[in-house]
């Protein structure tokens, strides 16, 4: 059959770490050892009490359909969590449980974006944002942030990218790929522009708990003036090593909540109840495993930076959150994509982002990080062919 696929599906590609990961897996299948520093996949197991809760839930028959909005117990638990962490009281009625935060991003953009609308995203950003925006029929408009400014947002610069077509500002803090936490001034700039230009704000805060500072990360969701136009996205994958469980949530203005639930009805029906029960256990159970993971990531970050600081012509903004370091290799004369695949041949998988940057995920053991970065350093020392 020669009929083409839809234009919609042709707008979407395999962006981000999974493309590199697939090539790395193919090399591993041939027997090559690869150190994986490309994908945001914690190397920890999900804490035992969360797994046991899911097992018990299945044994108790929680294996049938549930509400597309999510189970009320988890929604109430999430509402308590949001009040505690963002200092904002929300109703369970504003919360929808989603198949991962990525699912929440897709559904939010499909709900808000009309064909031809612009979605304004501070750059650098998580690559799937662009694919999802294009799939929804929108245009991604990048507002470039710089390491010299600590990857913080400048109001006048951000405003210069706003037009009559702008519908949404999409932010991510702590940020993938930079590890930077947006400060209060950056969030105030976004808030003021959203109010001045009547825009939606989507705040992806999946890395909220992966914070290496002494204070909680500021959240735009803590601004009461924005609650009727802001969507908060968060989940369980990163802080609780639950990437494969596909469990996230969104906190939505009331008029958006039903639309998201309607999408879920027609897409995946519901998130499995036993997985939602595991989410309750994650938020209400012992937090020590999550604290141990956070402290381990901090030590890994410091070990990675110790090595990177010895590499000539490579710079970065200091990461205070998430588990990434965003390396600027422009002064080495290397193209990021070519360099990343040279590193892959040398046995370390890294994520190229744009022509000049490489993202390093410190999600492996400290010894693996040291070995992988040493391999990267050796590739940098080789002559460019």
């Amino acid at each position: 059959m020669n009929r083409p696929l839809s234009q919609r599906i042709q707008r979407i590609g395999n962006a981000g770490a999974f493309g590199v990961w697939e090539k790395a897996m193919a090399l591993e299948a041939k027997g090559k050892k690869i150190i994986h520093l490309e994908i945001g996949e914690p190397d920890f197991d999900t804490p035992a009490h969360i797994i046991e809760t899911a097992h018990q839930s299945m044994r108790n028959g929680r294996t049938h359909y549930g509400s597309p909005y999510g189970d009320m117990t988890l929604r109430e638990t999430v509402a308590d969590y949001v009040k505690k962490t963002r200092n904002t009281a929300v109703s369970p009625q504003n919360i929808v449980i989603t198949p991962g935060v990525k699912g929440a991003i897709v559904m939010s953009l499909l709900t808000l974006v009309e064909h031809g609308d612009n979605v304004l995203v501070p750059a650098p950003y998580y690559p799937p944002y662009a694919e999802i925006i294009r799939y929804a029929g929108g245009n991604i408009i990048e507002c470039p942030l710089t390491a010299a400014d600590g990857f913080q947002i400048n109001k006048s610069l951000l405003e210069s990218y706003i037009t009559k077509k702008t519908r949404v500002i999409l932010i991510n803090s702590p940020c993938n790929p930079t590890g930077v936490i947006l400060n209060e001034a950056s969030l105030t700039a976004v808030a003021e522009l959203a109010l001045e230009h009547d825009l939606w704000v989507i705040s992806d805060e999946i890395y909220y708990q992966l914070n290496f500072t002494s204070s909680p990360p500021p959240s735009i969701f803590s601004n009461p003036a924005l609650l009727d136009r802001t969507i908060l996205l968060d989940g369980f994958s990163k802080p609780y090593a639950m990437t494969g469980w596909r469990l996230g949530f969104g906190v939505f203005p009331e008029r958006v909540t039903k639309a998201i639930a309607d999408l879920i009805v027609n897409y995946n029906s519901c998130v499995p109840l036993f997985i939602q029960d595991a989410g309750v256990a994650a938020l209400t159970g012992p937090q020590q495993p999550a604290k141990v993971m956070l402290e381990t990531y901090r030590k890994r970050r410091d070990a990675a930076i110790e090595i990177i600081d010895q590499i000539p012509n490579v710079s970065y903004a200091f990461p205070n959150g998430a588990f990434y370091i965003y390396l600027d290799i422009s002064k080495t004369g290397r193209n990021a994509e070519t360099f990343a695949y040279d590193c892959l041949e040398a046995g370390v998988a890294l994520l190229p982002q744009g022509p000049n940057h490489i993202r390093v995920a410190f999600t492996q053991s400290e010894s693996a990080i040291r070995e992988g970065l040493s391999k990267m350093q050796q590739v940098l020392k080789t002559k460019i062919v």
Side-chain angles (χ1 to χ4, degrees), residues 18-305:
F18 281 95
V20 178
W21 181 77
E22 287 171 357
K23 290 180 173 64
M25 294 295 285
L27 288 173
E28 285 182 319
K30 297 177 181 178
K32 187 173 184 64
K33 177 187 174 184
I34 301 293
I35 297 172
H36 290 274
L37 304 182
E38 84 281 25
I39 195 166
E41 171 70 271
D43 63 332
F44 296 97
D45 291 329
T46 304
H49 71 280
I50 298 174
I51 295 173
E52 180 51 38
T53 296
H55 285 177
Q56 187 60 51
S57 179
M58 286 186 278
R59 288 190 288 267
N60 291 341
R62 300 268 287 170
T63 56
H64 301 283
Y65 284 132
S67 166
Y69 292 90
D71 188 71
M72 183 54 73
T73 300
L74 179 55
R75 293 164 72 197
E76 291 172 345
T77 302
V78 167
D80 290 341
Y81 165 75
V82 171
K83 181 178 181 181
K84 178 181 177 182
T85 55
R86 276 69 166 192
N87 196 32
T88 301
V90 297
S91 166
Q93 307 303 325
N94 294 107
I95 294 164
V96 180
I97 308 303
T98 59
V101 169
K102 195 176 288 184
I105 295 168
V106 172
M107 293 173 189
S108 297
L109 289 168
L110 288 174
T111 298
L112 301 183
V113 176
E114 298 279 11
H115 184 79
D117 284 343
N118 291 346
V119 179
L120 181 53
V121 185
Y125 53 82
Y126 178 50
Y129 291 160
E131 306 301 330
I132 296 166
I133 290 166
R134 285 193 283 264
Y135 181 78
N139 308 303
I140 182 166
I141 306 299
E142 302 177 5
C143 174
L145 309 182
T146 66
D149 294 328
F151 291 110
Q152 298 297 330
I153 293 172
N154 176 281
K155 181 182 177 181
S156 60
L157 178 62
L158 189 66
E159 187 170 28
S160 70
Y161 288 90
I162 295 175
T163 70
K164 291 181 179 180
K165 290 186 175 182
T166 307
R167 179 100 169 186
V168 180
I169 301 176
L170 170 56
I171 60 175
N172 171 216
S173 179
C175 177
N176 174 5
T178 65
V180 165
I181 295 172
L182 291 178
N183 59 28
E184 291 284 5
S186 289
L187 298 180
T188 298
V190 173
E192 289 175 351
L193 291 174
L195 291 169
E196 290 167 15
H197 296 274
D198 193 24
L199 305 176
W200 290 97
V201 176
I202 299 175
S203 185
D204 178 358
E205 301 182 15
I206 181 58
Y207 295 97
Y208 184 87
Q209 292 193 53
L210 296 185
N211 162 43
F212 305 118
T213 70
S214 58
S215 302
S219 170
I220 201 165
F221 199 74
S222 300
N223 186 332
L226 261 69
L227 292 183
D228 68 339
R229 66 178 67 245
T230 299
I231 292 172
L232 169 68
L233 305 179
D234 198 349
F236 300 79
S237 292
K238 311 304 183 179
Y240 299 106
M242 294 176 68
T243 52
W245 297 69
R246 308 318 302 136
L247 182 62
F249 63 83
V251 186
F252 304 93
E254 191 170 329
R255 62 195 176 113
V256 178
T257 308
K258 183 179 183 300
I260 300 296
D262 287 345
L263 272 173
I264 289 176
V265 164
N266 289 286
Y267 173 57
N268 64 301
S269 298
C270 63
V271 174
L273 293 173
F274 60 89
I275 290 179
Q276 296 189 62
D277 292 342
V280 174
L283 290 178
T284 63
Q287 298 301 301
Q288 188 59 26
K291 292 177 181 178
V292 169
M293 283 188 259
L294 179 63
E295 186 56 32
T296 302
Y297 289 136
R298 184 199 307 274
K299 292 177 180 177
R300 292 174 177 178
R301 177 200 64 180
D302 294 346
I305 285 175

